[in-house]
Amino acid sequence: MVFVYIAEAHAADEWQVQSNEDESILVHQHTSFEARAAAAREGAQRLGLTMPLLLDGMDNAASEAFAAWPERIYVVGVDGRIAFKGGPGPWGFDPPAAGAALDEILRGG
């Protein structure tokens, strides 16, 4: 399992949401890969993530390839094929369906 950090979905200088302001999460849209990496590290720490963290390049190729903005859950099988493609998050998230797809992979299905 990996977390891929893409362009900031709720950047303070673009489309900030009240819940981010309430929690003092004020991230400006990244203008360099270094800024994106720093924001990713801070976010991973805030969320307590322990999975590997990958960064999309400044060309946003991963985000575009996976229609990942603002966020999305995918499960990819050991064969590299998409086993589950979730809807755009957070409203399109279906963790039980993603979990079932992952369980199927882990059972060797």
Side-chain angles (χ1 to χ4, degrees):
M1 199 176 325
V2 298
F3 185 97
V4 180
Y5 187 80
I6 62 172
E8 185 60 36
H10 301 292
D13 55 338
E14 293 180 357
W15 186 40
Q16 181 66 284
V17 293
Q18 187 62 48
S19 59
N20 280 7
E21 289 183 17
D22 294 345
E23 295 180 34
S24 297
I25 301 171
L26 305 171
V27 179
H28 285 80
Q29 195 55 263
H30 322 115
T31 57
S32 69
F33 188 77
E34 293 74 20
R36 184 169 284 182
R41 282 191 298 274
E42 182 179 333
Q45 287 176 336
R46 276 184 179 260
L47 295 171
L49 298 181
T50 58
M51 66 185 81
L53 177 64
L54 304 177
L55 300 176
D56 195 3
M58 295 307 292
D59 61 358
N60 300 312
S63 180
E64 289 179 22
F66 288 92
W69 192 92
E71 52 196 10
R72 187 162 285 198
I73 297 174
Y74 278 89
V75 176
V76 179
V78 294
D79 61 358
R81 297 173 73 160
I82 295 171
F84 174 83
K85 176 183 176 183
W91 301 279
F93 281 178
D94 188 349
L102 185 58
D103 286 343
E104 181 69 21
I105 291 168
L106 295 174
R107 284 195 306 269

